[in-house]
């Protein structure tokens, strides 16, 4: 057990409860070796019972710090219940035993204490050490010590008691630790009213506590507080560990503030001290004519002050449903306050004349506002007009609510404005309108003065700088000022709008007749938007479309205008069916279902309207006439995002998943995706999730999308199987020499991974009659075949060596198969014939031709042949003759063309040579029997 108890006590005897010196103890508990603890300053008193006592006792787990140079150890405790830190410093190492404390005595006789910012040297008393052991490094292993009956220089002759228990297993030295709840009593009430407070006492120590008398005391002999006798269930009761009891104190409130203490004694080492604070006050008159202008996330509450009593300010409470929560305060000179929070609710405004002195409530009901149109007047001051939840005109149109802001744009979470109307870019919570400058954006002159600022979907800010148009530049920055950078110089550009993604913004160029331009945020590249010349104003919808307006008569400033909706590239333009007239500042709400606009009747005089998405059904939402500009919708986030996960049923060890994200009222670029593989941790992901090194077998990916307001999609999970086995393919061996054209290449394939076969690739090496095999060729039409055969028309005289590979549905690609070679013979008509040969045509022969002779010595030749083996295609029959075949002057074989029956297109292979020969091939008849030659094949 590790405990420490430290406390200040009064100097009188503890025998009498209301005249006793108060002994205060801190107990600290921790397991194992000594740690930091807490010391308590409980009371300050002289020899009498009068004095201002200090809240206590304190109790916490101790920590120790040994200072070898000074030969001391400091035990420190932090009591989170009381909210105080204290320490005791004493000699270390130290022997067991007892010493009289003296500030100028031996090391064992000296001690000092701190509590909060106070410190003192213990002047007298005694120190008893029950146990003191060190570790091998000199740190505290165990320490059990008591400081009692001491005097401290800052206590006005008060006493000091301290108890430390670190690593002391002796139950006889266990401590009772009283706790009071509340720790302090702080009350306020009108003069002459009775106040009562119940106090609960708990024993949190390891030793039982027999509770003694409970009394109140103060700085004077007269006590306003008393203990209510019938409420006291504590005095005379023994509290086991964790057991509680209660008592109540009561007083009549005077017309001023007073402080006293509740003191509870007992057989423990400590008196419990609960400070009592009461502020009595005279009646305060309430404010009058209290009204509330409701807003989406706040309300502007206004009042007239009362002059019948002195006040120091105002408070506004939320009293909805019987609760009472302070939501706003105001100075004495104020006549209104912006109160954060959403309706419907009831707000109570009170005048204040002290900490507790309040007037009676003046309650005003604030309705819910889910949708507002916010605009600026010609001077840039922002006002808000509530609409219905659907964005239509309310049954009783409200007057515009003035905001304490200028020129604002709403962030993706719908909770913050960005404003540039001052000399910097500021971020302002919608609920409080308390703006904070974005570091690095303050202007120092014409060149860097902020001119326009908008939120990007990902929460960054884009803004223009340069008050003069010729000095205009585009910048980006994070809310905390990091990432500040110049994107591009854009002289002559005005008006800035974000797009649905995070990659570009739209600006209005004043060059020529004026047009819109897209500016890439990565490199500042400018792209004109076709069809936007002569545009007077524009906005961009949440769905990423342009809303542009232009005057019908370009020669006049005022007059009818046309509003057009189009894509960012200028395509898909369609005119909105707004009522005819001078309609300006058209802007869509976040769902794209309503469009707000200002209808001008003269220069700087307009009323506010809204219409359906196509411009139809226009209605006035505020009759207030202003020079409405820069209209924005302020609408709560109503729709949760959705997500999709797309992947095939099988993949290889690498997989790419499409993570879709959509939200009906948020910019696509503002949505945040997170993904999880199998049961792993959630991590941020993008539209494509690329996974590598996957183990074979089943896997799943879960995805969830969060929008800027914190709404989340349902978790979507998709499973698939990782097929890690590559498929195999084997060519069916074609004939070594082809006798038909075209021929068909076929193969077999298998996949053991489970995903199934998807496609095949074929490649080939070829050799012409005069050259060897070349490099592999991969004709496009031979790749990703979905059948297991390939019809081919081979070139006459060429040899082909094919190989095939298979691809499964998981994307695994097998290796190339063993080559299989075949030759397409050269047609007999491509051989040079000597005299005695006759050329013939007949469909049954290869290529429908043949050459025949009955002359002995007649020959067919082909010059420039490179081959290791020759093949003769001929007709055999009972009366057919014989030929000799030569290559490069060397006889490579004699071929008999005899057979018992007549057979056409017969392949006669000559012996394989030991090396490749190059030269003329000669086929020579060696008899007068008929010879039919159909072709000559070459094998390399």
């Amino acid at each position: 057990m590790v405990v420490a108890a430290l406390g200040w006590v009064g100097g009188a005897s503890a025998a009498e409860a209301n005249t006793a010196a108060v002994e205060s103890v801190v107990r600290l508990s921790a397991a194992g070796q000594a740690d930091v603890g807490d010391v308590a300053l409980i009371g300050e008193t002289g020899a009498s019972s009068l004095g201002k006592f200090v809240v206590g006792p304190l109790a916490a787990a101790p920590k120790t710090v040994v200072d070898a140079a000074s030969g001391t150890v400091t035990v420190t405790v932090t009591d989170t219940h009381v909210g105080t830190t204290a320490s005791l410093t004493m000699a270390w190492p130290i022997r067991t035993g007892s010493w009289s404390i003296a500030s100028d005595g031996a090391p064992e006789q000296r001690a000092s204490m701190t509590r909060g910012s106070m410190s003192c040297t213990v002047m007298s008393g005694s120190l008893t050490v029950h146990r003191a052991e060190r570790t091998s490094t000199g740190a505290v292993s165990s320490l059990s010590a008591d400081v009692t009956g001491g005097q401290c220089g800052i206590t006005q002759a008060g006493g000091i008691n301290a108890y430390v228990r670190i690593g002391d297993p002796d139950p006889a030295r266990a401590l009772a630790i009283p706790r009071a709840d509340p720790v302090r009593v702080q009350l306020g009430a009108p003069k002459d009213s009775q106040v009562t407070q119940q106090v609960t006492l708990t024993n949190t120590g390891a030793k039982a506590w027999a509770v003694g008398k409970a009394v109140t005391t103060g700085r004077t002999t007269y006590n306003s507080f008393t203990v209510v006798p019938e409420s006291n269930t504590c005095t005379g009761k023994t509290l086991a560990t964790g057991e509680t009891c209660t008592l109540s104190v009561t007083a009549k409130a005077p017309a001023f503030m007073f402080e006293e203490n509740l003191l509870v004694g007992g057989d423990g080492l400590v008196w419990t001290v609960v400070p009592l604070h009461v502020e009595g006050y005279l009646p305060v008159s309430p404010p009058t004519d209290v009204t509330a202008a409701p807003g989406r996330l706040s309300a502007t509450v206004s009042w007239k002050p009362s002059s019948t009593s002195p006040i120091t300010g105002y408070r506004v409470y939320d009293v909805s449903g019987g609760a009472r929560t302070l939501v706003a305060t105001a100075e004495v000179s104020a006549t209104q306050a912006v109160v954060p929070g959403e309706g419907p609710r009831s707000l109570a405004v009170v005048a204040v004349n002290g900490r507790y002195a309040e007037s009676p409530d003046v309650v005003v009901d604030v309705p819910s506002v889910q949708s507002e149109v916010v605009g600026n007047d010609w001077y840039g001051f922002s006002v808000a007009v509530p609409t219905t939840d659907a964005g239509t005109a309310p049954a009783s149109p409200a007057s515009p609510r003035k905001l304490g802001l200028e020129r604002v744009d709403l962030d993706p979470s719908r909770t913050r404005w960005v404003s540039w109307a001052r000399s910097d870019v500021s971020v302002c919570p919608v609920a409080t309108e308390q703006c904070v400058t974005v570091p690095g954006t303050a202007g120092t002159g014409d060149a860097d003065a902020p001119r326009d600022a908008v939120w990007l979907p990902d929460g960054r800010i884009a803004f223009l700088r340069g008050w003069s148009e010729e000095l205009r530049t585009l910048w980006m920055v994070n809310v905390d000022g990091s990432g500040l950078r110049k994107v591009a110089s854009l002289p002559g550009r005005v008006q800035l709008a974000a797009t649905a993604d995070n990659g570009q913004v739209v600006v209005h160029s004043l060059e020529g007749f004026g047009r819109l331009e897209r500016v890439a945020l990565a490199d500042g590249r400018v792209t004109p938007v076709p069809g936007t010349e002569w545009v007077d104003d524009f906005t961009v919808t949440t769905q990423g479309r342009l809303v542009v307006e232009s005057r019908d008569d370009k020669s006049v400033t005022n007059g009818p205008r046309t509003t057009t909706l189009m894509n960012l590239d200028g395509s898909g333009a369609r005119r909105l069916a707004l009522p005819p007239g001078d309609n300006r500042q058209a802007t869509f709400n976040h769902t794209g279902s309503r469009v707000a606009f200002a209808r001008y009747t003269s220069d700087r005089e307009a009323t506010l309207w809204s219409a359906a998405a196509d411009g139809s059904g226009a209605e006035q939402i505020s009759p207030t006439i202003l020079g409405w500009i820069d209209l924005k919708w302020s609408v709560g986030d109503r729709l949760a995002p959705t997500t999709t996960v797309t992947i095939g049923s099988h993949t290889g060890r690498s997989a790419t998943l499409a993570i879709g994200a959509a939200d009906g009222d948020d910019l696509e670029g503002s949505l945040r995706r997170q993904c999880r593989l199998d049961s792993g941790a959630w991590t941020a992901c993008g539209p494509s999730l690329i996974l590598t090194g996957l183990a074979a077998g089943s896997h799943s990916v879960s995805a969830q999308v969060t929008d800027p307001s914190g709404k989340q999609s349902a978790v979507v999970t998709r499973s698939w199987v990782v097929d890690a086995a590559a498929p195999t393919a084997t060519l069916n061996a074609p004939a070594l020499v082809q006798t038909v054209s075209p021929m068909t290449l076929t193969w077999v394939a298998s996949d053991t991974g489970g995903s199934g076969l998807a496609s095949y690739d074929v490649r080939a090496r070829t050799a012409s009659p005069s050259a060897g095999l070349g490099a592999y060729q991969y004709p496009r039409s031979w790749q990703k075949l979905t059948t297991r055969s390939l019809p081919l028309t081979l070139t006459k005289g060429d040899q082909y060596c094919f190989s095939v590979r298979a691809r499964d549905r998981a994307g695994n690609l097998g290796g190339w198969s063993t080559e299989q070679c075949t030759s397409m013979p050269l047609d007999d008509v491509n051989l040079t014939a000597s005299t005695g040969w006759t050329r013939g045509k007949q469909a049954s022969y290869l290529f429908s031709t043949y050459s025949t002779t009955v002359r002995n010595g007649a020959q067919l030749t082909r010059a420039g042949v490179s081959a290791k083996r020759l093949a003769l295609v001929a007709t055999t029959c009972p009366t057919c003759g014989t030929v000799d075949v030569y290559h490069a002057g060397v006889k490579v074989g004699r071929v008999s063309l005899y057979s018992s029956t007549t057979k056409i297109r017969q392949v006669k292979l000559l012996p394989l040579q030991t090396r490749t020969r190059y030269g003329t091939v000669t086929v020579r008849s060696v008899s007068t029997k008929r010879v039919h030659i159909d072709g000559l094949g070459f094998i390399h």
Side-chain angles (χ1 to χ4, degrees):
M1 178 178 68
V2 183
V3 298
L6 304 166
W8 299 96
V9 299
S13 169
E16 295 297 324
N18 61 345
T19 62
V22 179
E23 182 184 79
S24 161
V25 180
V26 179
R27 176 187 178 184
L28 308 97
S29 298
Q33 190 170 326
D35 284 343
V36 182
D38 190 75
V39 66
L41 176 61
I42 301 303
E44 296 180 32
T45 185
S48 71
S49 64
L50 305 179
K52 180 180 179 182
F53 295 89
V54 180
V55 61
L58 305 183
K63 285 189 178 294
T64 59
V65 175
V66 173
D67 186 343
S70 64
T72 61
V73 61
T74 299
V75 181
T76 306
V77 293
T78 299
D79 189 328
T80 57
H81 180 71
V82 177
T84 304
T85 296
S87 68
L88 166 67
T89 300
M90 56 187 288
W92 187 261
I94 193 169
R95 298 168 294 162
T96 58
S98 297
W99 292 270
S100 295
I101 296 177
S103 61
D104 57 353
E108 292 91 343
Q109 295 179 279
R110 295 195 292 266
S112 63
M113 296 185 69
T114 69
R115 175 178 170 129
S117 61
M118 298 182 295
S119 63
C120 73
T121 298
V122 182
M123 306 300 293
S124 63
S126 64
L127 168 63
T128 301
V129 178
H130 308 288
R131 185 183 183 96
E133 297 174 334
R134 291 183 295 165
T135 68
S136 59
T137 61
V140 174
S141 174
S142 68
L143 175 61
S144 182
D146 303 340
V147 176
T148 58
Q151 297 291 319
C152 185
I154 64 172
T155 64
Q156 300 176 357
I160 179 172
N161 279 25
Y163 301 87
V164 178
R165 299 289 185 267
I166 299 174
D168 187 347
D170 189 346
R173 289 193 287 269
L175 302 175
I177 307 297
R179 291 293 200 190
D181 186 19
V183 174
R184 300 169 182 84
V185 173
Q186 296 177 311
L187 301 171
K191 180 180 179 295
D192 295 331
S193 61
Q194 196 74 24
V195 293
T196 301
Q197 174 68 56
Q198 184 182 79
V199 177
T200 300
L201 297 175
T202 304
N203 178 18
T204 62
K207 178 183 177 181
W209 174 38
V211 185
K213 292 183 179 181
V215 298
T216 59
T217 184
R219 292 181 180 271
T220 69
T221 58
Y222 171 77
N223 293 334
S224 297
F225 270 102
T226 59
V227 176
V228 180
E230 59 271 22
S231 73
N232 186 355
T233 66
C234 296
T235 299
K237 183 175 183 179
T238 298
L239 298 182
T241 300
E243 194 172 0
T244 65
C245 63
T246 60
L247 57 83
S248 296
V249 291
T250 187
K252 180 182 288 188
F256 51 85
M257 182 271 290
F258 67 89
E259 294 180 343
E260 296 177 357
N261 297 283
L262 168 66
L263 308 179
V264 183
D267 69 347
L269 300 174
V270 60
W271 279 71
T272 302
V273 180
V274 180
L276 307 175
H277 175 109
V278 172
E279 180 181 313
Y281 54 87
L282 296 173
V284 180
S285 299
T288 60
D289 296 339
V290 177
T291 61
R296 186 171 64 86
L297 296 180
S298 65
T300 302
V301 179
S302 303
W303 61 83
K304 290 182 179 180
S306 172
S307 59
T308 60
S309 62
I311 63 171
T312 58
Y314 298 90
R315 295 179 188 141
V316 182
Y317 293 93
D318 187 334
V319 294
S320 304
R324 188 175 185 83
T325 305
L326 181 66
V327 289
T329 61
E331 298 294 332
V332 65
S333 60
T335 57
Q336 67 176 33
V338 175
V339 182
E342 301 179 61
R345 56 182 175 160
S346 296
L347 298 178
V349 183
V350 298
V352 177
N353 192 29
R355 181 174 182 179
Y356 297 102
E358 293 182 346
S359 71
D361 291 352
V362 180
V363 179
V364 60
D365 291 327
V366 181
S368 171
V369 173
Q370 295 296 317
S371 174
E372 293 177 295
V373 176
V374 178
N376 300 317
D377 61 20
W378 279 96
Y379 303 100
F381 296 105
S382 300
V383 294
V385 175
T387 71
T388 66
D389 292 356
T392 58
S396 300
S399 298
R401 179 172 64 97
K402 293 183 179 180
L403 307 181
L405 306 169
E406 300 176 51
R407 302 188 183 279
V408 294
D409 185 59
L410 190 63
D411 83 325
S413 72
R414 328 285 176 80
T415 61
R416 297 178 297 177
W417 299 110
V418 63
S419 173
W420 58 272
R422 299 181 295 180
S423 59
D424 53 30
V425 175
S426 299
V427 173
C428 319
V430 174
T432 65
E433 301 178 13
Q434 300 300 308
C435 299
V436 176
T437 297
V438 177
T441 63
T444 58
D446 188 4
D448 63 354
R451 176 60 186 164
D452 205 348
V454 296
W455 291 98
L456 297 175
D458 60 7
R460 293 176 297 168
I461 298 171
F463 65 103
L464 295 174
R465 270 182 157 160
W467 195 255
S468 299
E469 293 169 0
E470 65 272 13
L471 301 177
R472 204 64 47 84
T473 53
L474 175 63
W475 292 71
M476 289 176 54
V477 69
N478 294 314
V479 173
D480 61 3
S482 63
L484 177 67
R485 70 176 179 90
K486 178 181 174 180
V487 176
S489 294
L490 298 175
R493 272 69 168 194
V494 296
Q495 198 177 357
L496 180 67
T499 60
D501 60 24
N502 292 296
Q504 59 185 340
V505 294
V506 180
V507 296
H508 192 180
S509 173
L510 300 180
E511 295 178 356
F513 299 115
R515 67 183 180 196
L516 301 184
E517 298 170 333
R518 294 177 301 170
V519 183
L521 296 175
D523 55 13
R525 178 171 42 88
V526 176
T527 303
V529 179
T532 58
E533 290 77 12
W534 290 104
V535 165
D536 293 307
D537 190 34
F538 78 97
T539 56
V540 179
T541 71
T542 303
Q543 292 70 34
R545 304 195 73 192
L546 280 171
V547 185
V548 299
E549 67 181 47
S550 57
R551 289 163 289 159
D552 295 345
D553 185 351
K554 308 300 189 293
S555 65
V556 297
T557 302
N558 299 320
R561 302 190 181 210
T562 297
T563 303
T564 304
L565 188 66
M566 64 175 64
N567 297 320
L568 288 176
D569 60 2
S571 64
R574 65 178 178 85
R575 180 174 177 174
L576 297 185
L578 297 178
D582 191 353
N583 302 314
R584 307 184 195 178
Q585 309 294 318
T587 182
F588 278 81
N589 63 5
H590 290 78
T591 60
S593 60
R594 299 291 294 181
V595 58
F597 59 99
R599 283 181 60 79
Y600 274 76
T601 55
S602 63
D603 192 25
R604 303 190 181 186
E605 291 188 353
T607 51
L608 201 57
W609 293 63
S610 78
D614 61 359
S616 64
E619 58 182 353
Q620 189 179 91
I621 59 176
S622 175
T624 301
I625 297 175
L626 284 177
W628 294 99
I629 59 174
D630 300 330
L631 298 184
K632 314 282 184 182
W633 286 86
S634 177
V635 180
D637 191 351
R638 303 171 185 173
L639 303 178
T642 59
T643 186
T644 58
V645 179
T646 304
I647 189 172
S649 61
H650 291 77
T651 71
R653 292 189 182 274
S654 297
T656 299
L657 296 85
I659 311 299
D663 195 315
D665 62 354
D666 283 300
L667 296 166
E668 179 183 351
S670 69
L671 303 178
R672 180 167 50 86
R673 300 169 174 85
Q674 59 177 356
C675 299
R676 178 174 65 183
L677 174 62
D678 298 328
S679 59
W682 287 96
T683 57
C685 56
S688 293
L689 178 62
I690 300 175
L691 303 173
T692 59
L694 294 169
S698 297
H699 291 277
S700 64
V701 159
S702 299
Q704 188 175 42
V705 173
T706 304
D707 69 17
S709 71
K711 285 185 170 60
Q712 292 186 311
S713 70
V715 175
V716 174
T717 300
R718 292 290 180 269
S719 299
W720 77 102
V721 175
V722 170
D723 176 355
T728 60
T730 303
L731 280 171
N732 295 319
L736 188 60
V737 178
Q738 293 294 319
T739 58
V740 294
S741 183
M743 58 87 66
T744 298
L745 189 68
T746 63
W747 56 88
V748 294
S750 64
D751 176 57
T752 61
S755 63
L757 295 163
S759 63
Y760 313 92
D761 300 333
V762 177
R763 67 179 183 178
R765 295 188 294 161
T766 61
S768 67
S770 60
L773 291 167
Y776 284 109
Q777 301 295 316
Y778 304 82
R780 180 175 297 178
S781 61
W782 295 7
Q783 310 308 304
K784 295 188 177 180
L785 301 169
T786 56
T787 61
R788 300 183 192 180
S789 61
L790 178 63
L792 296 169
T793 300
L794 304 182
T795 301
K796 299 173 185 178
D798 285 1
Q799 182 185 21
Y800 292 79
C801 290
F802 298 101
S803 50
V804 65
R805 65 182 179 184
R807 182 181 293 102
D808 64 23
R809 290 190 175 89
N812 296 307
L813 190 60
W816 290 102
S817 69
T818 302
E819 279 188 331
Q820 297 289 347
C821 298
T822 187
S823 294
M824 180 59 70
L826 194 67
D827 194 8
D828 61 277
V829 298
N830 299 119
L831 303 176
T832 302
S834 65
T835 57
W837 289 93
T838 300
R839 308 284 195 183
K841 292 184 178 183
Q842 188 174 329
S844 59
Y845 287 90
L846 180 62
F847 305 123
S848 302
T849 65
Y850 64 90
S851 296
T852 184
T853 185
V854 292
R855 178 179 294 183
N856 186 16
Q859 60 187 25
L860 298 171
T861 60
R862 175 72 179 195
V865 172
S866 175
K868 290 186 71 175
R869 195 172 195 181
L870 302 174
L872 194 64
V873 181
T875 299
T876 61
C877 63
T879 58
C880 288
T882 302
V883 296
D884 287 338
V885 180
Y886 298 83
H887 187 190
V890 176
K891 180 179 177 180
V892 295
R894 171 168 287 186
V895 179
S896 171
L897 300 180
Y898 169 81
S899 66
S900 59
T901 59
T902 300
K903 300 177 182 179
I904 61 173
R905 302 193 192 194
Q906 298 301 296
V907 176
K908 298 295 184 178
L909 291 172
L910 279 299
L912 177 68
Q913 302 300 297
T914 58
R915 63 182 179 86
T916 297
R917 299 182 185 277
Y918 181 82
T920 300
V921 174
T922 300
V923 179
R924 180 181 298 157
S925 175
V926 293
S927 70
T928 57
K929 291 183 178 181
R930 182 165 297 281
V931 172
H932 291 272
I933 302 300
D934 207 353
L936 181 63
F938 311 105
I939 301 172
H940 299 271

